[in-house]
Amino acid sequence: MISANDLSPAELAALLHFHADAGVDWLLEEEAIDRFAEFEAMKAARRPAAQAQQQRPAAGERPAPGQSPARPNAAARPAPAERAASGPQPAIPDGEAVQQARFVAETARSLAELKTAIETFNGCNLKHSARSTIFASGDAESGIMVIGSAPSAEDDREGLPFSGKSGQLFDKMLAAIGLTRSAILLTQVIPWRPPGNRAPSAAEMDICRPFIERQIALAEPKAILLLGNFSARFFFGENDTIHGLRGRWKEIAAADCVIPAIASLHPQDLLTAPVNKRLAWNDLLAFQAKLKSLSLLRN
C-alpha cells in the first residue's frame, strides 16, 4: 500500500479526482465499523443452511433399504431471521413500487406529512445507496417554486438541494432577480442521489413521479422555474436538450393544478460552460417578469 506521504500534491489531487469520478463521496464513515465481525456474523448465519444442504441426499440418490430419507432436524434449520440475513431481500417489483408511491403521496395532506412518508418509503432502490432524502425547503406559501433535477454529491452530503459551488452560484442567480432561498420553495425531481451521479432509470422516474407531483399539488405554486435538462424533459415530456427547451413558457399539470413553467440551465451547467450564463440570465429575466405580473414579486 502506498502512503499518502509518498505522493506529490499533483498525484494526490489526481487520486481524489479518480475517486470522485468513481462515485466515492466520503472516505471515512462517521462511526467505526468492524468489517471482520460483519464477515463472521454472515458466515454464522449461513452455516445452518449449509449443514442442512449437506444432509440432503444428492439428486438421484436413494436411501438404503429400510432407511428413511435424511431430513435436517428443526435445530439444523435456520430461523427465518437467519434465512433473511443469509442473502439480500427481494426487491419490490417496479409496478408495485409505483402503486405504493402513488398511495403514499395521495394520502399525505401536507408537505410535512409527505416528507415523513418519503423518508419512510423503501420502494426505490436509489434510497438504499443515498445518504440523505432531499425534500422541499423554503416558503411553501410564496407561490414561487424552483425544481432541480437530482441531488448532487454535495446535496446528498449536506441534506439540502443546491449545495456546494453550484448552490453558491444559484444563490447569486436568485439575488440577481430579487429572490432568496427562504423566499421560494426549492426542491428536486428525484429525492435521492443516483450513485455516481448517473441518470435515473425510467422505473426510478416512475416511482418518484408521484412524490414531486404531490409536492406541487400541496404547495400550489403560481409559477415554476425548472433547472436542468433532466427536470425540463421530465415535466415537458420532450427529448430535446435544455438549449431547445429553455426560455419558453409552458404549462405543467399536477393533480388539479396547471402551472406555467419555464426551463433554464442548471447552475452546474453554467460552472461547466460559463459562456451560457447570458442564456440563463435571459431566462431569469423572463421568470422575474412573470412573477411581477402575478404580483409575486415587487417591482
Side-chain angles (χ1 to χ4, degrees), residues 247-271:
R248 291 180 289 138
W249 284 99
K250 299 186 179 184
E251 291 185 338
I252 61 177
D256 297 329
C257 302
V258 178
I259 307 104
I262 189 171
S264 187
L265 291 95
H266 194 281
Q268 185 60 48
D269 299 332
L270 302 179
L271 291 175

PDB file of all heavy atoms in Angstrom, residues 247-271:
ATOM      1  N   GLY A 247     -36.292  28.827 -21.930  1.00  0.00           N
ATOM      2  CA  GLY A 247     -36.729  30.133 -22.382  1.00  0.00           C
ATOM      3  C   GLY A 247     -38.135  30.227 -22.919  1.00  0.00           C
ATOM      4  O   GLY A 247     -38.546  31.302 -23.362  1.00  0.00           O
ATOM      5  N   ARG A 248     -38.910  29.152 -22.884  1.00  0.00           N
ATOM      6  CA  ARG A 248     -40.281  29.181 -23.403  1.00  0.00           C
ATOM      7  C   ARG A 248     -41.250  28.754 -22.305  1.00  0.00           C
ATOM      8  O   ARG A 248     -41.065  27.712 -21.677  1.00  0.00           O
ATOM      9  CB  ARG A 248     -40.426  28.247 -24.607  1.00  0.00           C
ATOM     10  CG  ARG A 248     -39.666  28.732 -25.838  1.00  0.00           C
ATOM     11  CD  ARG A 248     -39.845  27.763 -26.997  1.00  0.00           C
ATOM     12  NE  ARG A 248     -39.124  26.506 -26.773  1.00  0.00           N
ATOM     13  CZ  ARG A 248     -39.611  25.307 -27.049  1.00  0.00           C
ATOM     14  NH1 ARG A 248     -40.833  25.173 -27.506  1.00  0.00           N
ATOM     15  NH2 ARG A 248     -38.882  24.226 -26.844  1.00  0.00           N
ATOM     16  N   TRP A 249     -42.285  29.541 -22.098  1.00  0.00           N
ATOM     17  CA  TRP A 249     -43.282  29.223 -21.076  1.00  0.00           C
ATOM     18  C   TRP A 249     -44.188  28.103 -21.561  1.00  0.00           C
ATOM     19  O   TRP A 249     -44.692  28.127 -22.687  1.00  0.00           O
ATOM     20  CB  TRP A 249     -44.108  30.457 -20.724  1.00  0.00           C
ATOM     21  CG  TRP A 249     -43.370  31.422 -19.854  1.00  0.00           C
ATOM     22  CD1 TRP A 249     -42.721  32.550 -20.238  1.00  0.00           C
ATOM     23  CD2 TRP A 249     -43.200  31.316 -18.432  1.00  0.00           C
ATOM     24  NE1 TRP A 249     -42.144  33.171 -19.159  1.00  0.00           N
ATOM     25  CE2 TRP A 249     -42.426  32.440 -18.031  1.00  0.00           C
ATOM     26  CE3 TRP A 249     -43.622  30.413 -17.460  1.00  0.00           C
ATOM     27  CZ2 TRP A 249     -42.069  32.658 -16.706  1.00  0.00           C
ATOM     28  CZ3 TRP A 249     -43.267  30.626 -16.144  1.00  0.00           C
ATOM     29  CH2 TRP A 249     -42.504  31.728 -15.776  1.00  0.00           C
ATOM     30  N   LYS A 250     -44.364  27.115 -20.697  1.00  0.00           N
ATOM     31  CA  LYS A 250     -45.282  26.011 -20.971  1.00  0.00           C
ATOM     32  C   LYS A 250     -46.094  25.743 -19.711  1.00  0.00           C
ATOM     33  O   LYS A 250     -45.794  26.288 -18.647  1.00  0.00           O
ATOM     34  CB  LYS A 250     -44.507  24.752 -21.385  1.00  0.00           C
ATOM     35  CG  LYS A 250     -43.686  24.926 -22.657  1.00  0.00           C
ATOM     36  CD  LYS A 250     -43.070  23.606 -23.072  1.00  0.00           C
ATOM     37  CE  LYS A 250     -42.272  23.769 -24.353  1.00  0.00           C
ATOM     38  NZ  LYS A 250     -41.721  22.478 -24.842  1.00  0.00           N
ATOM     39  N   GLU A 251     -47.112  24.919 -19.839  1.00  0.00           N
ATOM     40  CA  GLU A 251     -47.934  24.574 -18.681  1.00  0.00           C
ATOM     41  C   GLU A 251     -47.681  23.122 -18.296  1.00  0.00           C
ATOM     42  O   GLU A 251     -47.593  22.248 -19.161  1.00  0.00           O
ATOM     43  CB  GLU A 251     -49.418  24.780 -18.984  1.00  0.00           C
ATOM     44  CG  GLU A 251     -49.812  26.231 -19.135  1.00  0.00           C
ATOM     45  CD  GLU A 251     -51.314  26.399 -19.317  1.00  0.00           C
ATOM     46  OE1 GLU A 251     -51.969  25.419 -19.741  1.00  0.00           O
ATOM     47  OE2 GLU A 251     -51.833  27.499 -19.034  1.00  0.00           O
ATOM     48  N   ILE A 252     -47.535  22.892 -16.996  1.00  0.00           N
ATOM     49  CA  ILE A 252     -47.408  21.533 -16.484  1.00  0.00           C
ATOM     50  C   ILE A 252     -48.543  21.278 -15.506  1.00  0.00           C
ATOM     51  O   ILE A 252     -49.037  22.202 -14.848  1.00  0.00           O
ATOM     52  CB  ILE A 252     -46.040  21.296 -15.806  1.00  0.00           C
ATOM     53  CG1 ILE A 252     -45.849  22.224 -14.616  1.00  0.00           C
ATOM     54  CG2 ILE A 252     -44.913  21.489 -16.811  1.00  0.00           C
ATOM     55  CD1 ILE A 252     -44.561  21.983 -13.865  1.00  0.00           C
ATOM     56  N   ALA A 253     -48.976  20.027 -15.433  1.00  0.00           N
ATOM     57  CA  ALA A 253     -50.118  19.669 -14.598  1.00  0.00           C
ATOM     58  C   ALA A 253     -49.675  18.775 -13.453  1.00  0.00           C
ATOM     59  O   ALA A 253     -48.810  17.908 -13.615  1.00  0.00           O
ATOM     60  CB  ALA A 253     -51.180  18.955 -15.433  1.00  0.00           C
ATOM     61  N   ALA A 254     -50.278  18.993 -12.293  1.00  0.00           N
ATOM     62  CA  ALA A 254     -50.061  18.147 -11.119  1.00  0.00           C
ATOM     63  C   ALA A 254     -51.382  18.100 -10.366  1.00  0.00           C
ATOM     64  O   ALA A 254     -51.841  19.125  -9.846  1.00  0.00           O
ATOM     65  CB  ALA A 254     -48.960  18.697 -10.236  1.00  0.00           C
ATOM     66  N   ALA A 255     -52.013  16.901 -10.366  1.00  0.00           N
ATOM     67  CA  ALA A 255     -53.347  16.751  -9.780  1.00  0.00           C
ATOM     68  C   ALA A 255     -54.303  17.700 -10.515  1.00  0.00           C
ATOM     69  O   ALA A 255     -54.409  17.646 -11.726  1.00  0.00           O
ATOM     70  CB  ALA A 255     -53.304  17.005  -8.283  1.00  0.00           C
ATOM     71  N   ASP A 256     -54.960  18.589  -9.789  1.00  0.00           N
ATOM     72  CA  ASP A 256     -55.888  19.536 -10.413  1.00  0.00           C
ATOM     73  C   ASP A 256     -55.237  20.876 -10.735  1.00  0.00           C
ATOM     74  O   ASP A 256     -55.920  21.820 -11.138  1.00  0.00           O
ATOM     75  CB  ASP A 256     -57.091  19.768  -9.483  1.00  0.00           C
ATOM     76  CG  ASP A 256     -57.896  18.493  -9.253  1.00  0.00           C
ATOM     77  OD1 ASP A 256     -57.920  17.654 -10.172  1.00  0.00           O
ATOM     78  OD2 ASP A 256     -58.474  18.339  -8.164  1.00  0.00           O
ATOM     79  N   CYS A 257     -53.917  20.958 -10.546  1.00  0.00           N
ATOM     80  CA  CYS A 257     -53.208  22.223 -10.758  1.00  0.00           C
ATOM     81  C   CYS A 257     -52.568  22.257 -12.144  1.00  0.00           C
ATOM     82  O   CYS A 257     -51.994  21.263 -12.596  1.00  0.00           O
ATOM     83  CB  CYS A 257     -52.119  22.412  -9.697  1.00  0.00           C
ATOM     84  SG  CYS A 257     -52.725  22.391  -7.994  1.00  0.00           S
ATOM     85  N   VAL A 258     -52.694  23.387 -12.809  1.00  0.00           N
ATOM     86  CA  VAL A 258     -51.993  23.641 -14.069  1.00  0.00           C
ATOM     87  C   VAL A 258     -51.181  24.912 -13.865  1.00  0.00           C
ATOM     88  O   VAL A 258     -51.747  25.982 -13.612  1.00  0.00           O
ATOM     89  CB  VAL A 258     -52.960  23.795 -15.240  1.00  0.00           C
ATOM     90  CG1 VAL A 258     -52.191  24.101 -16.512  1.00  0.00           C
ATOM     91  CG2 VAL A 258     -53.798  22.533 -15.419  1.00  0.00           C
ATOM     92  N   ILE A 259     -49.852  24.789 -13.935  1.00  0.00           N
ATOM     93  CA  ILE A 259     -48.973  25.890 -13.557  1.00  0.00           C
ATOM     94  C   ILE A 259     -48.068  26.258 -14.722  1.00  0.00           C
ATOM     95  O   ILE A 259     -47.508  25.376 -15.390  1.00  0.00           O
ATOM     96  CB  ILE A 259     -48.107  25.492 -12.339  1.00  0.00           C
ATOM     97  CG1 ILE A 259     -48.978  24.984 -11.199  1.00  0.00           C
ATOM     98  CG2 ILE A 259     -47.277  26.662 -11.857  1.00  0.00           C
ATOM     99  CD1 ILE A 259     -48.967  23.503 -11.036  1.00  0.00           C
ATOM    100  N   PRO A 260     -47.890  27.560 -14.980  1.00  0.00           N
ATOM    101  CA  PRO A 260     -46.915  27.973 -16.000  1.00  0.00           C
ATOM    102  C   PRO A 260     -45.495  27.697 -15.519  1.00  0.00           C
ATOM    103  O   PRO A 260     -45.158  27.938 -14.359  1.00  0.00           O
ATOM    104  CB  PRO A 260     -47.178  29.475 -16.143  1.00  0.00           C
ATOM    105  CG  PRO A 260     -47.790  29.891 -14.849  1.00  0.00           C
ATOM    106  CD  PRO A 260     -48.589  28.707 -14.378  1.00  0.00           C
ATOM    107  N   ALA A 261     -44.673  27.174 -16.409  1.00  0.00           N
ATOM    108  CA  ALA A 261     -43.297  26.822 -16.048  1.00  0.00           C
ATOM    109  C   ALA A 261     -42.356  27.197 -17.173  1.00  0.00           C
ATOM    110  O   ALA A 261     -42.706  27.136 -18.357  1.00  0.00           O
ATOM    111  CB  ALA A 261     -43.192  25.327 -15.749  1.00  0.00           C
ATOM    112  N   ILE A 262     -41.170  27.600 -16.798  1.00  0.00           N
ATOM    113  CA  ILE A 262     -40.116  27.915 -17.759  1.00  0.00           C
ATOM    114  C   ILE A 262     -38.848  27.186 -17.333  1.00  0.00           C
ATOM    115  O   ILE A 262     -38.583  27.039 -16.134  1.00  0.00           O
ATOM    116  CB  ILE A 262     -39.870  29.443 -17.836  1.00  0.00           C
ATOM    117  CG1 ILE A 262     -38.940  29.784 -18.998  1.00  0.00           C
ATOM    118  CG2 ILE A 262     -39.324  29.980 -16.518  1.00  0.00           C
ATOM    119  CD1 ILE A 262     -38.827  31.279 -19.255  1.00  0.00           C
ATOM    120  N   ALA A 263     -38.095  26.689 -18.296  1.00  0.00           N
ATOM    121  CA  ALA A 263     -36.871  25.932 -18.001  1.00  0.00           C
ATOM    122  C   ALA A 263     -35.643  26.775 -18.308  1.00  0.00           C
ATOM    123  O   ALA A 263     -35.659  27.636 -19.192  1.00  0.00           O
ATOM    124  CB  ALA A 263     -36.841  24.641 -18.815  1.00  0.00           C
ATOM    125  N   SER A 264     -34.580  26.502 -17.569  1.00  0.00           N
ATOM    126  CA  SER A 264     -33.304  27.166 -17.801  1.00  0.00           C
ATOM    127  C   SER A 264     -32.168  26.209 -17.465  1.00  0.00           C
ATOM    128  O   SER A 264     -32.405  25.089 -17.005  1.00  0.00           O
ATOM    129  CB  SER A 264     -33.187  28.448 -16.971  1.00  0.00           C
ATOM    130  OG  SER A 264     -32.016  29.170 -17.325  1.00  0.00           O
ATOM    131  N   LEU A 265     -30.952  26.672 -17.685  1.00  0.00           N
ATOM    132  CA  LEU A 265     -29.792  25.830 -17.425  1.00  0.00           C
ATOM    133  C   LEU A 265     -29.554  25.688 -15.928  1.00  0.00           C
ATOM    134  O   LEU A 265     -29.775  26.627 -15.157  1.00  0.00           O
ATOM    135  CB  LEU A 265     -28.548  26.414 -18.087  1.00  0.00           C
ATOM    136  CG  LEU A 265     -28.542  26.348 -19.619  1.00  0.00           C
ATOM    137  CD1 LEU A 265     -29.042  27.639 -20.223  1.00  0.00           C
ATOM    138  CD2 LEU A 265     -27.161  26.024 -20.141  1.00  0.00           C
ATOM    139  N   HIS A 266     -29.087  24.535 -15.557  1.00  0.00           N
ATOM    140  CA  HIS A 266     -28.759  24.258 -14.165  1.00  0.00           C
ATOM    141  C   HIS A 266     -27.466  24.999 -13.799  1.00  0.00           C
ATOM    142  O   HIS A 266     -26.586  25.180 -14.648  1.00  0.00           O
ATOM    143  CB  HIS A 266     -28.553  22.750 -13.982  1.00  0.00           C
ATOM    144  CG  HIS A 266     -28.529  22.300 -12.565  1.00  0.00           C
ATOM    145  ND1 HIS A 266     -27.417  22.437 -11.762  1.00  0.00           N
ATOM    146  CD2 HIS A 266     -29.478  21.706 -11.800  1.00  0.00           C
ATOM    147  CE1 HIS A 266     -27.675  21.944 -10.570  1.00  0.00           C
ATOM    148  NE2 HIS A 266     -28.927  21.502 -10.556  1.00  0.00           N
ATOM    149  N   PRO A 267     -27.340  25.467 -12.548  1.00  0.00           N
ATOM    150  CA  PRO A 267     -26.099  26.135 -12.155  1.00  0.00           C
ATOM    151  C   PRO A 267     -24.847  25.320 -12.446  1.00  0.00           C
ATOM    152  O   PRO A 267     -23.802  25.882 -12.793  1.00  0.00           O
ATOM    153  CB  PRO A 267     -26.285  26.363 -10.649  1.00  0.00           C
ATOM    154  CG  PRO A 267     -27.759  26.445 -10.469  1.00  0.00           C
ATOM    155  CD  PRO A 267     -28.345  25.503 -11.477  1.00  0.00           C
ATOM    156  N   GLN A 268     -24.932  23.996 -12.327  1.00  0.00           N
ATOM    157  CA  GLN A 268     -23.771  23.164 -12.622  1.00  0.00           C
ATOM    158  C   GLN A 268     -23.392  23.265 -14.094  1.00  0.00           C
ATOM    159  O   GLN A 268     -22.211  23.238 -14.444  1.00  0.00           O
ATOM    160  CB  GLN A 268     -24.054  21.710 -12.253  1.00  0.00           C
ATOM    161  CG  GLN A 268     -22.854  20.779 -12.402  1.00  0.00           C
ATOM    162  CD  GLN A 268     -21.683  21.206 -11.529  1.00  0.00           C
ATOM    163  OE1 GLN A 268     -21.847  21.483 -10.350  1.00  0.00           O
ATOM    164  NE2 GLN A 268     -20.491  21.276 -12.117  1.00  0.00           N
ATOM    165  N   ASP A 269     -24.398  23.407 -14.971  1.00  0.00           N
ATOM    166  CA  ASP A 269     -24.120  23.595 -16.396  1.00  0.00           C
ATOM    167  C   ASP A 269     -23.349  24.892 -16.628  1.00  0.00           C
ATOM    168  O   ASP A 269     -22.479  24.967 -17.501  1.00  0.00           O
ATOM    169  CB  ASP A 269     -25.425  23.630 -17.193  1.00  0.00           C
ATOM    170  CG  ASP A 269     -26.224  22.345 -17.069  1.00  0.00           C
ATOM    171  OD1 ASP A 269     -25.593  21.293 -16.847  1.00  0.00           O
ATOM    172  OD2 ASP A 269     -27.458  22.397 -17.190  1.00  0.00           O
ATOM    173  N   LEU A 270     -23.692  25.910 -15.845  1.00  0.00           N
ATOM    174  CA  LEU A 270     -23.045  27.213 -16.008  1.00  0.00           C
ATOM    175  C   LEU A 270     -21.618  27.197 -15.477  1.00  0.00           C
ATOM    176  O   LEU A 270     -20.758  27.920 -15.982  1.00  0.00           O
ATOM    177  CB  LEU A 270     -23.866  28.288 -15.298  1.00  0.00           C
ATOM    178  CG  LEU A 270     -25.323  28.412 -15.765  1.00  0.00           C
ATOM    179  CD1 LEU A 270     -26.047  29.481 -14.979  1.00  0.00           C
ATOM    180  CD2 LEU A 270     -25.394  28.693 -17.256  1.00  0.00           C
ATOM    181  N   LEU A 271     -21.366  26.375 -14.450  1.00  0.00           N
ATOM    182  CA  LEU A 271     -19.994  26.236 -13.962  1.00  0.00           C
ATOM    183  C   LEU A 271     -19.129  25.529 -15.003  1.00  0.00           C
ATOM    184  O   LEU A 271     -17.945  25.833 -15.158  1.00  0.00           O
ATOM    185  CB  LEU A 271     -19.986  25.455 -12.643  1.00  0.00           C
ATOM    186  CG  LEU A 271     -20.582  26.158 -11.420  1.00  0.00           C
ATOM    187  CD1 LEU A 271     -20.609  25.210 -10.234  1.00  0.00           C
ATOM    188  CD2 LEU A 271     -19.787  27.416 -11.080  1.00  0.00           C
TER     189      LEU A 271
END
